[in-house]
């Protein structure tokens, strides 16, 4: 008989719906409960997914339910305490949304809490299951572009948000090398937040890995919104990588056009059966399937806690480099969130002081939302939009 696991979700908002559908796509991952303090959201979630029991707090749910797997789909600052809480109740696995944490101290707290109870800790970097990324990792490892030299990627909406995927993804396609140093720069002229965490207006970072490869990240600096795409330059060629496609350009062989890299048919079929359409959403089904295999058979998991800690360290090192105006050599000694420390030290004076959250209900109250959306649609990066909206 296949093993079944009692599964629950903390925080039943938008991202939780993808987790719920993903669990429903995998036989043996039985969604039995949810915890959500907003009564209206809890009712809607329970009705949509036929969840047997809903609770107003994670403490009550974990106390009353005997759970094997818990998805944590709450805001960033709740990830460490809720992960520790779930581990204390002896769940077999926690699947926590990204970013794992906003400091190394909190990431380590999560890892230690799970290790102490024998709980598997998975982080929601589901894009590691993209077939295009995985095929690129294989092609790079077998030397199709020679020695990899430089990975580049662009994102919008903050380093901690989609930026965490690009940082983690660059390591993944390179084979998860250790990083040696980071150099970063950022700007914060507006009081920009995400889910109760202060974030930058824009930033960039350069990471050097063992073996000679480097990675260049840009967040909110260009009009390119390609969180799932990379270009990798090597000594003997270039790979252009997407979630479900890639193109090789080299002296020995050049693809005439971008080649599709399909999903495993079983994964794609099961995802579509529950309404997970498109490569971005199918990745959640692949993540859930891999989580069950990890529970069933052990072994490795692509984005477990210790693996994802590297991405947290690189993001925090980028901020620390901007704070100190120098290269940060790893391992990173600073345990707290360097951006908050920069703000407290007065190193990031605001030009436009009205607070706004890019995800919260008050988002973009600092300017007319329609104007922001119009300028973003026109291809302007965040700094230029700020300048345009606030120009005298």
């Amino acid at each position: 008989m296949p093993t079944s696991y009692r599964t629950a979700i903390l925080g039943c908002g938008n991202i939780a719906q993808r987790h719920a559908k993903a669990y429903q796509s995998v036989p043996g991952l039985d969604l039995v409960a949810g915890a959500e303090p907003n009564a209206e959201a809890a009712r809607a979630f329970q009705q949509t997914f036929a969840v047997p029991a809903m609770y107003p707090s994670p403490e009550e749910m974990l106390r009353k339910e005997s759970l094997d797997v818990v998805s944590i789909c709450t805001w960033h600052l709740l990830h460490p305490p809720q992960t520790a809480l779930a581990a204390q109740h002896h769940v077999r696995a926690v699947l926590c949304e990204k970013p794992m944490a906003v400091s190394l101290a909190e990431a380590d707290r999560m890892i230690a809490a799970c290790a102490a109870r024998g709980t598997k800790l998975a982080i929601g970097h589901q894009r590691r299951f993209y077939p295009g990324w995985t095929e690129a990792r294989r092609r790079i490892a077998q030397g199709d572009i020679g020695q990899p030299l430089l990975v580049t990627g662009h994102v919008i909406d903050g380093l901690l948000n989609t930026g965490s995927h690009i940082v983690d993804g660059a390591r993944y396609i390179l084979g998860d090398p250790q990083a040696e140093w980071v150099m970063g720069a950022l700007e914060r002229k507006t009081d920009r937040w995400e889910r109760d965490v202060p974030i930058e207006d824009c930033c960039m970072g350069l990471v050097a890995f063992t073996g000679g490869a480097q990675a260049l990240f840009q967040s909110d600096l260009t009009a390119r919104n390609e969180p799932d795409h990379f270009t990798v330059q090597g000594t003997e060629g270039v790979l252009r990588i997407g979630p479900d496609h890639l193109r090789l350009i080299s002296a020995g062989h050049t693809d005439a056009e971008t080649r599709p890299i399909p999903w495993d048919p079983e994964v794609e079929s099961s995802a579509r059966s529950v309404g997970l359409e498109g490569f971005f959403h199918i990745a959640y089904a692949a993540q859930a399937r891999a989580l069950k295999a990890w529970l069933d058979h052990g072994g490795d998991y692509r984005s477990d806690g210790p693996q994802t800690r590297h991405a947290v360290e690189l993001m925090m090192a980028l901020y620390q480099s901007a704070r100190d105006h120098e290269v940060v050599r790893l391992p990173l000694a600073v345990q707290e969130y360097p951006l908050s420390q920069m703000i407290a030290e007065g190193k990031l004076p605001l030009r436009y002081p009205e607070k706004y959250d890019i995800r919260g209900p008050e988002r973009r109250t600092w300017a007319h939302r329609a104007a922001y959306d119009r300028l973003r649609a026109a291809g302007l990066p965040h700094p230029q939009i700020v300048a345009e909206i606030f120009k005298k």
Side-chain angles (χ1 to χ4, degrees):
M1 287 286 293
T3 304
S4 293
Y5 301 99
R6 290 172 54 82
T7 303
I9 296 178
L10 302 187
C12 299
N14 179 54
I15 204 72
Q17 297 185 35
R18 298 172 193 168
H19 283 242
K21 290 180 180 179
Y23 289 144
Q24 291 179 342
S25 77
V26 181
L29 293 179
D30 303 325
L31 183 58
V32 300
E36 171 54 57
N38 183 295
E40 183 178 348
R43 279 194 300 273
F45 188 80
Q46 184 172 30
Q47 292 172 3
T48 299
F49 298 104
V51 181
M54 294 295 296
Y55 298 88
S57 73
E59 291 84 359
E60 183 179 357
M61 183 186 74
L62 287 162
R63 187 174 65 252
K64 293 183 176 179
E65 299 283 346
S66 178
L67 298 171
D68 298 303
V69 179
V70 172
S71 271
I72 297 178
C73 300
T74 51
W75 287 13
H76 310 340
L77 297 179
L78 294 174
H79 293 175
Q82 290 182 344
T83 295
L85 179 67
Q88 288 167 11
H89 283 81
H90 303 283
V91 303
R92 297 184 62 175
V94 169
L95 173 56
C96 180
E97 263 301 321
K98 60 80 191 168
M100 177 182 183
V102 295
S103 72
L104 276 183
E106 293 292 69
D108 288 338
R109 174 186 175 188
M110 295 167 70
I111 293 169
C114 288
R117 303 285 180 156
T119 298
K120 297 180 183 295
L121 176 58
I123 307 300
H125 283 295
Q126 76 285 345
R127 301 181 194 197
R128 281 181 170 243
F129 296 96
Y130 282 160
W133 287 20
T134 300
E135 176 64 7
R137 177 182 169 111
R138 186 187 71 82
R139 299 286 291 272
I140 291 170
Q142 72 179 19
D144 283 12
I145 59 169
Q147 177 66 33
L149 300 175
L150 180 66
V151 183
T152 58
H154 309 79
V155 294
I156 64 170
D157 287 341
L159 182 65
L160 293 178
N161 185 28
T162 52
S164 65
H165 284 305
I166 211 75
V167 173
D168 180 73
R171 288 192 66 249
Y172 176 66
I173 63 176
L174 289 175
D176 289 316
Q178 294 287 327
E180 295 182 340
W181 55 260
V182 178
M183 189 167 190
L186 65 87
E187 177 180 276
R188 190 176 192 268
K189 294 182 179 178
T190 72
D191 197 11
R192 195 181 195 208
W193 293 64
E194 186 201 0
R195 298 179 173 98
D196 288 340
V197 177
I199 63 171
E200 73 288 343
D201 288 339
C202 54
C203 70
M204 64 182 298
L206 181 66
V207 179
F209 296 103
T210 56
Q214 296 185 339
L216 176 64
F217 314 117
Q218 296 184 46
S219 178
D220 292 292
L221 277 168
T222 75
R224 297 173 62 186
N225 179 20
E226 296 181 325
D228 303 314
H229 295 73
F230 295 99
T231 298
V232 185
Q233 299 169 254
T235 55
E236 298 177 22
V238 175
L239 266 180
R240 300 192 186 281
I241 304 163
D244 56 356
H245 61 269
L246 56 78
R247 186 181 184 197
L248 172 65
I249 304 169
S250 70
H253 171 83
T254 296
D255 294 333
E257 57 187 23
T258 300
R259 295 195 305 108
I261 309 295
W263 283 99
D264 176 277
E266 187 175 349
V267 172
E268 184 171 9
S269 175
S270 65
R272 294 187 185 280
S273 72
V274 296
L276 289 170
E277 301 284 345
F279 60 82
F280 178 72
H281 293 95
I282 293 172
Y284 285 89
Q287 173 179 254
R289 184 177 292 266
L291 180 64
K292 185 174 187 300
W294 195 26
L295 286 164
D296 286 344
H297 309 297
D300 296 326
Y301 184 79
R302 294 186 191 185
S303 55
D304 64 10
Q307 186 67 267
T308 306
R309 184 189 185 275
H310 292 289
V312 176
E313 182 177 35
L314 294 183
M315 292 188 293
M316 297 305 111
L318 187 159
Y319 290 135
Q320 186 62 30
S321 175
R323 181 186 180 198
D324 289 343
H325 308 291
E326 63 184 23
V327 171
V328 169
R329 290 167 177 81
L330 302 178
L332 178 65
V334 175
Q335 294 294 297
E336 303 307 318
Y337 183 36
L339 184 61
S340 285
Q341 294 178 314
M342 294 175 73
I343 294 170
E345 293 161 354
K347 293 182 176 179
L348 295 171
L350 298 175
R351 184 176 298 176
Y352 313 110
E354 189 172 357
K355 180 179 178 178
Y356 66 102
D357 193 305
I358 66 171
R359 292 283 182 169
E362 76 283 10
R363 62 185 179 186
R364 299 174 189 160
T365 56
W366 55 281
H368 296 295
R369 181 175 175 183
Y372 186 99
D373 291 341
R374 172 177 55 81
L375 293 169
R376 176 63 84 186
L380 271 68
H382 184 78
Q384 288 180 244
I385 294 174
V386 170
E388 178 68 20
I389 290 176
F390 288 103
K391 69 181 180 182
K392 303 302 182 183

